[in-house]
Amino acid sequence: MNLGCLYGVGVGTGNPELITLKALRILQTVSVVAYPASEDGNSFARSIVAEFLQSNQIEVPIVLPFKLEKSAQAFYNKAAEELAVHLSGGKDVAVLCEGDPFFYGSFMYIFNRLSQRFTTEVIPGISSVMASAAMIGVPLTYRNDVFMVLSGILSEEVLREKLQVADAAVIIKLGRNFRKVKQVLQELGLVERAKYIEYATMENQRVLSINEVEVETVPYFSLIVIPSQLKELGVWS
Amino acid sequence: MNLGCLYGVGVGTGNPELITLKALRILQTVSVVAYPASEDGNSFARSIVAEFLQSNQIEVPIVLPFKLEKSAQAFYNKAAEELAVHLSGGKDVAVLCEGDPFFYGSFMYIFNRLSQRFTTEVIPGISSVMASAAMIGVPLTYRNDVFMVLSGILSEEVLREKLQVADAAVIIKLGRNFRKVKQVLQELGLVERAKYIEYATMENQRVLSINEVEVETVPYFSLIVIPSQLKELGVWS
């Protein structure tokens, strides 16, 4: 019997219209759809594409406890084995991934466990980096800008050091790190230039200046965009 | 009379299936479709979505001479004025942009000229950064990696300095800069880890190791991916 194909499908940032035609085609033809889910069964990735799923598809939630710390390996091992049974039985499996599967994506943990055993294809998705700049309405990078993506989890020292060598940047994983990140932006004189966005492309999207953000309630789905200052000043003059 | 709406539409990297559902909807409903084109009339952006265009749409090529040096301002001014006539007349205009419009995109030059005068919306697109990692089949960034995009036009010194502070990187704008970039990768011991891809997601796509690349014939549509080394080593252990 032929083995099934494993697909890592980027489903973008929340607006269902921002999935690709290829993602839609794969989603509607596979036998099995898997997705990260919380312990209560909710899955943001699934919610994005819910309208496109077929009633005869097998759904496999990949449940990760909210506080997993050192134990995620075991959960991904278990999920991979469950998917391997379907793939071995000849069923194609699509694993949904918010944003892009290979860009800070959760699909990579499944990929690393199964791609040696099964034909695997990754369908790139719209990343929150690009979606956020589009929603804020500000060009992110021009020409030969040095662009950087940084995690808010990094220390103040590291954030300061890295930001100083970038022409434009996006800072992800804010949440409880927002206060620290804001401190660094203040030190570097970037507060005016930076923009904050939460729930980009979703109905509850908000774009705020750094000083407008309620520091205590920054959600996981938020980031800070520091756009290029290049514009066209001097470039072609 | 109502003014038309200006759309910057990301059309991705070459495979028509990698445009978003939203891009497709906009493309099929606007009255005017504009796109960057060479002097001979060829447009890569248009070719990606050619099958979706409608015969009754007005097409506006934005022609930039291949050797433009200091004169691009005038060409963008001219194109913007032509589009402004359509917008002022109530026609919606979609400007096609390879990859993502705000990420090293050409749409920004139109955006900067017209977004103050007309309602403007940007439809994010699949960037060559994400598409290339997907096509190579290698996870690009994990967890708290520092990710960087660098232009091959930068000097050896700058490339060396920046690459040393990144956990993962993509180097764009190779072409004649490939030899210089390869030299830097050799100095930093990155030749084995880096992968080269040209014409990502297109029929003539090729993925090569750095040493396999014919240095003299590197096309514009190529880039180098330096994936994260993190994998899961030590992360959850």
Side-chain angles (χ1 to χ4, degrees):
Chain A
M1 186 192 271
N2 288 331
L3 299 177
C5 183
L6 173 66
Y7 297 97
V9 179
V11 295
T13 53
N15 179 343
E17 260 203 304
L18 291 181
I19 72 165
T20 65
L21 307 185
K22 185 164 186 176
L24 179 62
R25 175 172 62 80
I26 300 292
L27 281 185
Q28 295 188 319
T29 52
V30 293
S31 305
V32 180
V33 178
Y35 39 77
S38 58
E39 285 168 294
D40 61 8
N42 284 327
S43 168
F44 175 56
R46 185 191 187 282
S47 74
I48 297 173
V49 297
E51 64 190 286
F52 307 123
L53 299 182
Q54 316 286 305
S55 58
N56 59 348
Q57 287 174 319
I58 299 165
E59 297 196 19
V60 179
I62 301 172
V63 177
L64 288 186
F66 187 70
K67 297 208 171 186
L68 43 78
E69 295 171 356
K70 298 190 175 200
S71 55
Q73 292 258 24
F75 289 93
Y76 282 117
N77 287 342
K78 182 171 167 293
E81 279 319 304
E82 185 172 353
L83 299 182
V85 171
H86 290 299
L87 291 161
S88 298
K91 290 190 169 69
D92 291 338
V93 174
V95 179
L96 310 182
C97 189
E98 299 148 17
D100 178 83
F102 274 172
F103 199 66
Y104 301 98
S106 57
F107 174 67
M108 308 196 292
Y109 302 107
I110 300 297
F111 177 85
N112 288 341
R113 285 164 174 76
L114 297 178
S115 65
Q116 301 292 313
R117 295 166 59 192
F118 304 99
T119 302
T120 304
E121 188 179 350
V122 171
I123 320 300
I126 298 291
S127 164
S128 59
V129 168
M130 287 76 192
S132 295
M135 294 304 114
I136 294 171
V138 59
L140 185 52
T141 51
Y142 289 85
R143 294 167 55 78
N144 301 310
D145 279 334
V146 173
F147 172 71
M148 215 179 270
V149 178
L150 296 169
S151 162
I153 290 171
L154 298 171
S155 73
E156 229 174 289
E157 294 66 32
V158 172
L159 284 170
R160 196 184 302 117
E161 174 203 332
K162 306 283 183 186
L163 277 175
Q164 280 174 313
V165 299
D167 297 311
V170 165
I171 305 174
I172 59 174
K173 306 199 181 182
L174 293 176
R176 285 176 303 167
N177 303 299
F178 182 85
R179 187 187 299 275
K180 172 182 64 185
V181 171
K182 180 175 175 179
Q183 176 65 32
V184 174
L185 295 178
Q186 282 169 332
E187 287 171 34
L188 297 178
L190 291 171
V191 168
E192 292 305 311
R193 188 169 137 205
K195 283 285 177 191
Y196 166 92
I197 184 168
E198 60 186 35
Y199 302 114
T201 79
M202 288 178 258
E203 280 178 19
N204 52 344
Q205 170 183 303
R206 293 201 305 164
V207 176
L208 300 170
S209 71
I210 300 301
N211 285 323
E212 285 172 322
V213 178
E214 306 91 347
V215 177
E216 302 302 333
T217 57
V218 172
Y220 179 81
F221 288 105
S222 64
L223 54 75
I224 289 173
V225 172
I226 305 171
S228 172
Q229 287 194 298
L230 188 60
K231 296 201 175 169
E232 291 169 76
L233 299 170
V235 173
W236 304 106
S237 64
Chain B
M1 184 192 272
N2 288 333
L3 300 175
C5 183
L6 173 65
Y7 297 97
V9 179
V11 296
T13 53
N15 178 343
E17 261 204 305
L18 291 180
I19 72 166
T20 65
L21 307 185
K22 184 163 186 177
L24 178 62
R25 175 172 61 80
I26 301 291
L27 282 184
Q28 295 187 320
T29 52
V30 294
S31 304
V32 180
V33 178
Y35 39 77
S38 59
E39 285 168 297
D40 59 10
N42 284 327
S43 168
F44 175 56
R46 186 191 186 284
S47 73
I48 296 173
V49 297
E51 63 190 287
F52 307 124
L53 299 182
Q54 316 285 304
S55 59
N56 59 348
Q57 287 175 318
I58 298 165
E59 297 196 20
V60 179
I62 302 172
V63 178
L64 287 185
F66 187 69
K67 297 209 172 185
L68 43 78
E69 293 172 358
K70 298 191 176 202
S71 55
Q73 292 260 20
F75 289 92
Y76 281 116
N77 288 342
K78 182 169 166 294
E81 279 319 306
E82 185 172 352
L83 299 181
V85 171
H86 290 299
L87 291 161
S88 299
K91 290 190 169 70
D92 291 338
V93 174
V95 179
L96 310 182
C97 189
E98 300 147 15
D100 178 82
F102 275 172
F103 198 67
Y104 301 98
S106 56
F107 174 67
M108 310 196 292
Y109 303 106
I110 300 297
F111 176 85
N112 288 340
R113 285 163 173 77
L114 296 178
S115 66
Q116 301 293 312
R117 294 165 61 191
F118 304 99
T119 302
T120 304
E121 188 179 348
V122 171
I123 321 300
I126 297 291
S127 164
S128 60
V129 168
M130 286 77 191
S132 295
M135 295 302 115
I136 294 171
V138 60
L140 185 51
T141 51
Y142 289 84
R143 293 169 55 81
N144 301 310
D145 279 334
V146 173
F147 173 71
M148 215 180 269
V149 178
L150 296 168
S151 162
I153 290 171
L154 298 170
S155 72
E156 229 172 288
E157 292 67 30
V158 172
L159 285 170
R160 196 182 304 119
E161 174 202 331
K162 306 283 182 186
L163 276 176
Q164 280 173 312
V165 299
D167 298 310
V170 165
I171 305 173
I172 59 175
K173 306 200 181 182
L174 294 175
R176 283 176 305 168
N177 303 299
F178 182 84
R179 188 187 300 275
K180 173 182 64 185
V181 171
K182 180 175 176 179
Q183 176 65 33
V184 174
L185 295 179
Q186 283 169 332
E187 287 171 35
L188 297 178
L190 292 170
V191 168
E192 293 305 311
R193 188 170 137 205
K195 282 285 178 190
Y196 166 93
I197 185 168
E198 60 186 34
Y199 302 114
T201 79
M202 289 180 257
E203 281 179 18
N204 52 345
Q205 170 184 302
R206 291 201 306 164
V207 176
L208 300 170
S209 71
I210 300 301
N211 286 323
E212 287 172 323
V213 178
E214 306 89 348
V215 177
E216 302 301 334
T217 57
V218 172
Y220 179 80
F221 289 106
S222 65
L223 54 75
I224 289 172
V225 172
I226 305 171
S228 171
Q229 287 193 298
L230 187 60
K231 296 201 175 168
E232 291 169 75
L233 299 171
V235 173
W236 305 105
S237 64

